[in-house]
Amino acid sequence: MDIKRALRSVHDNGKVTVGLKETMKQLKKKKVKLIIVSKNCPEKELEEMKTFKVPVYTYAGTNADLGAASRKPFSISTLGVIDAGNSDILALKGNK
């Protein structure tokens, strides 16, 4: 799977949360199906997200790389997938 293409597709056709605060808010509402974190996501926040028993995929790049792959003009350390839309991004569930 091309992760960059899947990220663009989910942003265009699906529903995602961007950023730690918004992702945590949606995790508490049990709406997030997959969490994508950058490789330099703070460990404390990562451990807190893992307590929700939602699959976590670690993106191979930094938060700046994840932002660029998502076509955002800013860094993203955490992204939550609520609805995959036409994307096959939920196939990443098995990866960590």
Side-chain angles (χ1 to χ4, degrees), residues 1-85:
M1 169 192 306
D2 181 2
I3 182 71
K4 290 182 181 181
R5 181 193 287 151
L7 283 168
R8 287 190 297 270
S9 179
V10 77
H11 276 283
D12 292 343
N13 303 310
K15 185 172 181 183
V16 297
T17 62
V18 175
L20 179 64
K21 286 183 185 179
E22 190 60 33
T23 301
M24 289 300 292
K25 187 186 311 182
Q26 296 304 319
L27 277 168
K28 291 174 183 172
K29 293 179 182 179
K30 301 186 186 303
K31 293 188 176 193
V32 178
K33 297 176 183 171
L34 174 68
I35 303 166
I36 301 173
V37 297
S38 64
K39 71 178 181 182
N40 63 337
C41 179
E43 192 66 33
K44 180 181 175 187
E45 284 79 4
L46 181 59
E47 292 304 316
E48 185 178 356
M49 286 184 280
K50 287 181 177 179
T51 64
F52 287 94
K53 307 284 189 235
V54 173
V56 177
Y57 177 83
T58 302
Y59 184 73
T62 64
N63 54 354
D65 297 331
L66 183 55
S70 299
R71 286 193 260 165
K72 299 292 181 187
F74 48 85
S75 298
I76 299 172
S77 66
T78 307
L79 183 107
V81 178
I82 295 174
D83 178 17

